[in-house]
Amino acid sequence: MKKILVIGSLNMDMVIEMKRMPITGETVLGTQVSYVPGGKGANQAYTAAKLGGKVKMLGCIGNDDFGEMQRNNLTECGVDTGDLKRLKSQGTGMASIYVDEYGDNTIVVVPGANMECNVSYLKEYDHVLQECDYVILQMEIARDAIYYAIKRAKELGKTVILNPAPVPDALPDEIFSRLDYITPNETELMKLCGKEGDSVRDYTEGARELLERGAKNVLVTMGKKGALFVNREREEVFPARKVLAVDTTAAGDCFNGAFAVALAEGRALGEAVTFANAASSIAVTRNGAQTSIPSREEAEEALREMSVHVRTK
Ligand code: RIB
């Protein structure tokens, strides 16, 4: 089994459920509040390990209970957390998440310790980068650290997956050209290519533009519409499994973690995307971030169901 390194954020999520989101200046009553381990980096590492991957994580936590809860949750699930950095000067990252009755969410992240996941920390752990095969990154840590890690990983011949979330205003071409896979959702894709539109055709054009800028493979998560894969040889939509969503938090993280595991196991591209669709279809039926991630057995079961569905169409 190839080794997966996740470099990214760890947050404690304060999840508030409500019937509908408040508008500016309005107070609404929520129905429930819970604290759940989250952070895009941690969620992806947790997913990859829970689905059977050999996973290590680099990132920063604060010297507080939330940081310890994060570390324990990841360790129990099999993530190697031995080189996470614990800071005295900063608190663990926090996310405030509002979830409405349709399962849609809005998220505000206060990065705290995550911004100390910087170039000097990554240089200190260069041997970790050397030892892995796949590197997955998101965009909730220091920006120069993300760019440094991508360049260093490619220098070392690793496969790099960037989940551009939260999406920046722009990504430099020298970064695009080092990405084996970029995995935006529809909104992130359209912002990155500076276009408007909400059809699969618009997304395909947007993805082609990212190829022009240097990305090798573009994989767009489109929620209920499934996932769109675009490279120079292939353009294909992989349908989603139909489920009733209660909370879409971390669905993208689950998709990315599952996709990385499938690639690391040597599955073909189409199978890897379908496996990721299967896993994330379960995550949206459960509340919270790491609390929503399925087991390997559950993901395989959903995958079998999807395969049967495709064959009988
Ligand atoms: O993608 C979901 C995650 O985004 C949450 O867990 C929250 O912490 C934010 O990072």
Side-chain angles (χ1 to χ4, degrees):
M1 163 68 97
K2 301 229 162 120
K3 293 184 196 153
I4 298 168
L5 170 63
V6 180
I7 303 176
S9 59
L10 304 98
N11 298 328
M12 181 50 68
D13 294 351
M14 182 178 67
V15 184
I16 302 176
E17 291 167 43
M18 63 202 69
K19 211 166 156 46
R20 65 167 178 85
M21 305 279 175
I23 56 167
T24 305
E26 186 191 25
T27 303
V28 297
L29 293 182
T31 51
Q32 192 163 323
V33 61
S34 41
Y35 287 85
V36 180
K40 295 184 193 302
N43 297 343
Q44 293 178 20
Y46 184 91
T47 303
K50 193 161 179 191
L51 293 177
K54 195 164 170 31
V55 186
K56 173 142 187 123
M57 179 163 188
L58 289 179
C60 297
I61 51 177
N63 191 13
D64 48 31
D65 290 348
F66 288 160
E68 260 334 278
M69 281 164 74
Q70 268 285 4
R71 191 201 288 275
N72 292 340
N73 205 46
L74 290 172
T75 309
E76 275 166 25
C77 176
V79 179
D80 177 350
T81 57
D83 291 327
L84 286 183
K85 187 168 174 182
R86 188 167 185 173
L87 297 155
K88 289 209 175 79
S89 54
Q90 296 273 358
T92 299
M94 284 286 303
S96 165
I97 305 185
Y98 286 179
V99 182
D100 70 16
E101 66 175 339
Y102 301 107
D104 290 324
N105 63 43
T106 47
I107 305 181
V108 178
V109 174
V110 180
N114 291 309
M115 285 300 149
E116 299 301 316
C117 183
N118 54 27
V119 175
S120 67
Y121 165 63
L122 294 181
K123 283 189 172 165
E124 198 182 326
Y125 288 96
D126 193 64
H127 60 280
V128 175
L129 261 164
Q130 291 177 32
E131 284 159 11
C132 73
D133 302 290
Y134 288 83
V135 181
I136 320 184
L137 296 120
Q138 325 70 33
M139 305 206 71
E140 286 183 334
I141 57 170
R143 188 67 52 86
D144 55 348
I146 300 166
Y147 296 166
Y148 168 79
I150 290 171
K151 288 182 189 163
R152 181 69 184 133
K154 280 325 284 179
E155 233 170 61
L156 293 166
K158 312 300 177 188
T159 301
V160 176
I161 303 173
L162 176 67
N163 176 221
V167 65
D169 289 333
L171 270 180
D173 284 351
E174 55 168 4
I175 294 304
F176 274 113
S177 63
R178 288 174 166 89
L179 299 179
D180 295 289
Y181 297 91
I182 183 165
T183 60
N185 65 20
E186 316 98 304
T187 317
E188 291 155 358
L189 170 74
M190 296 319 258
K191 184 157 177 198
L192 282 175
C193 66
K195 285 189 186 304
E196 290 190 354
D198 57 9
S199 67
V200 172
R201 189 200 285 186
D202 296 325
Y203 304 148
T204 308
E205 277 167 19
R208 284 185 199 141
E209 196 150 321
L210 302 195
L211 294 183
E212 286 304 311
R213 296 192 59 190
K216 287 191 194 60
N217 299 289
V218 183
L219 182 54
V220 187
T221 51
M222 304 186 296
K224 282 184 215 134
K225 290 186 196 144
L228 166 71
F229 178 80
V230 178
N231 71 10
R232 293 198 182 276
E233 291 83 44
R234 185 170 181 180
E235 293 183 353
E236 190 167 344
V237 172
F238 293 86
R241 176 168 164 258
K242 283 196 178 50
V243 292
L244 190 63
V246 299
D247 180 357
T248 57
T249 307
D253 300 330
C254 181
F255 182 95
N256 277 276
F259 180 63
V261 170
L263 289 184
E265 287 177 352
R267 291 198 191 208
L269 186 276
E271 265 182 71
V273 178
T274 307
F275 181 67
N277 270 341
S280 55
S281 77
I282 298 172
V284 300
T285 64
R286 298 175 179 167
N287 289 310
Q290 284 161 44
T291 44
S292 71
I293 306 303
S295 66
R296 177 71 186 226
E297 294 69 34
E298 290 169 325
E300 292 291 352
E301 178 58 40
L303 181 64
R304 275 193 292 278
E305 198 184 289
M306 289 172 81
S307 310
V308 169
H309 184 67
V310 170
R311 275 206 298 273
T312 54
K313 250 169 117 180

